[in-house]
Amino acid sequence: MALLRCLSKFLRTRAGLVLLCGPALLLLCPGVAIATPTGNFYTDGSDVFDDWDICRSRADGPDGFFKASASRFEPVIADQSLGGNADRAYVRGFEFSLEYEDVTRRAEAIFTYVRDHVRYTSDSSQFGYGEFAQNADELLAVVDDKGVAYGDCEDYAVLLGAMYVGAGIRSAVVLAPDHAAALVYLPDYPRANRFLTVDGESGWVWAEATGGNNPLGWMPENYMGTHLLAYELEDKGFPPGAPPDRAVTTVPRRSNRDFALPVSPFFLVLLLLWLMSSVGRRRSASRR
């Protein structure tokens, strides 16, 4: 009892209030920022390159992750997860092919899987770069470890594309003004609001998994009638080369880890208000 009386007296002091309020306020915060490395890279000026000498922080140019120009592009970052480089994403797609014999159901299941396990987040908020592309296996490694990963439009497109190829479904990456998405070859898909033509072949449908409620085959109206570039992915890949003689660096990944509160936040707020009012009453009584 003496210990409880001492603890009660201490909690009514300013120091006790701060000691209790600090951890409580931390618990009330929605998350705490942590940083985990995505892999080994090297820098050249303001650009970040990987083992394939592909610039992850820039989509354009002959060494950009999309090799994008005004008239063409090649999503070379997808090759890091295909062919001889096939790993998590390709295998995960193959697993869907074993589970779903029907191609339409298989395509829908893969789309739903990516939509539900990746949350849209800008590169600037996650990596501190205006642009930073992740390959399909890096993104899926985070899903396997954390249950959910974060990425932007090109990350979704590359992951979907690699998984579709692994599942035996033709896929492409489409580049729109300031946007990227995946295409899937489903010429008889009944839920598509628009069929697109790639290299003279119709039957391609839009795969936009960045929204939580987006269905497969739904193409946003603002991209209809705009200039689009599409590149069909092939089951090929080139091995990484030896990086130049530069210092290896890591790019921190900022993410949120949620805390499970032992009690309702409402009751914590009530406790804090009670403590503050208790200290106020004690100070008023001491002045009399």
Side-chain angles (χ1 to χ4, degrees), residues 53-273:
D53 291 331
I54 297 300
C55 182
R56 294 294 191 91
S57 55
R58 177 168 38 80
D60 61 307
D63 54 2
F65 61 83
F66 272 178
K67 288 190 175 182
S69 66
S71 58
R72 66 178 303 275
F73 86 110
E74 181 183 353
V76 289
I77 192 171
D79 293 339
Q80 298 180 3
S81 304
L82 298 174
N85 302 318
D87 202 338
R88 292 175 186 260
Y90 189 96
V91 172
R92 191 64 47 83
F94 179 74
E95 291 172 350
F96 276 94
S97 72
L98 299 178
E99 184 175 357
Y100 297 92
E101 183 177 355
D102 181 76
V103 174
T104 298
R105 291 186 60 204
R106 188 190 315 162
E108 290 176 336
I110 291 174
F111 179 86
T112 301
Y113 177 86
V114 173
R115 185 191 65 191
D116 293 348
H117 287 83
V118 181
R119 302 286 184 269
Y120 183 87
T121 305
S122 67
D123 290 327
S124 58
S125 62
Q126 183 172 198
F127 297 109
Y129 288 89
E131 194 73 75
F132 190 87
Q134 306 170 76
N135 70 33
D137 297 315
E138 291 166 348
L139 199 61
L140 200 54
V142 179
V143 172
D144 291 342
D145 183 38
K146 306 293 185 182
V148 63
Y150 299 86
D152 65 358
C153 58
E154 75 264 5
D155 301 322
Y156 279 90
V158 170
L159 177 57
L160 279 170
M163 289 184 64
Y164 278 132
V165 172
I169 303 175
R170 293 173 64 188
S171 181
V173 175
V174 60
L175 200 60
D178 299 320
H179 189 59
L183 298 180
V184 190
Y185 185 69
L186 294 173
D188 299 319
Y189 192 60
R191 299 180 181 86
N193 66 343
R194 178 67 61 93
F195 286 98
L196 300 176
T197 299
V198 177
D199 294 332
E201 185 177 28
S202 182
W204 295 84
V205 302
W206 196 273
E208 177 80 40
T210 54
N213 298 318
N214 289 355
L216 176 63
W218 175 78
M219 181 180 182
E221 292 185 3
N222 55 308
Y223 295 124
M224 296 180 181
T226 62
H227 179 64
L228 303 175
L229 297 174
Y231 188 97
E232 183 175 358
L233 300 179
E234 299 180 20
D235 193 2
K236 65 177 183 179
F238 54 95
D245 187 17
R246 298 175 184 269
V248 174
T249 186
T250 58
V251 178
R253 184 193 306 273
R254 303 166 184 170
S255 60
N256 289 330
R257 178 172 296 171
D258 294 330
F259 284 96
L261 295 178
V263 295
S264 168
F266 173 73
F267 292 111
L268 285 177
V269 172
L270 289 181
L271 176 61
L272 294 177
L273 292 175

